[in-house]
Amino acid sequence: MAIGKRIGLNMQEMSEMTCSDLIDLARSFTGKDEKKKGPREATQADIDAFYGR
């Protein structure tokens, strides 16, 4: 609740959100949105290099 109040939400708005929604909103509000790291999608150049074309 403190997070929601700090970013300017009222009680009604917070009651309609899940905890994870509130945390995601707080992260995007503060600019600390962590980008999910993982494998990237292969490009055609990657496929060509793999198959030796």
Side-chain angles (χ1 to χ4, degrees):
M1 292 177 113
I3 294 169
K5 292 305 260 181
R6 181 166 281 188
I7 63 175
L9 297 175
N10 62 35
M11 294 302 287
Q12 182 180 0
E13 292 169 331
M14 286 189 285
S15 69
E16 296 173 2
M17 303 175 101
T18 63
C19 288
S20 62
D21 290 338
L22 183 59
I23 292 169
D24 290 341
L25 181 64
R27 283 185 179 152
S28 65
F29 184 81
T30 59
K32 295 182 180 179
D33 216 4
E34 295 179 18
K35 303 215 185 276
K36 295 180 180 172
K37 295 181 181 179
R40 64 176 176 85
E41 191 171 329
T43 64
Q44 187 62 46
D46 295 329
I47 295 168
D48 291 343
F50 180 77
Y51 287 110
R53 295 183 184 171

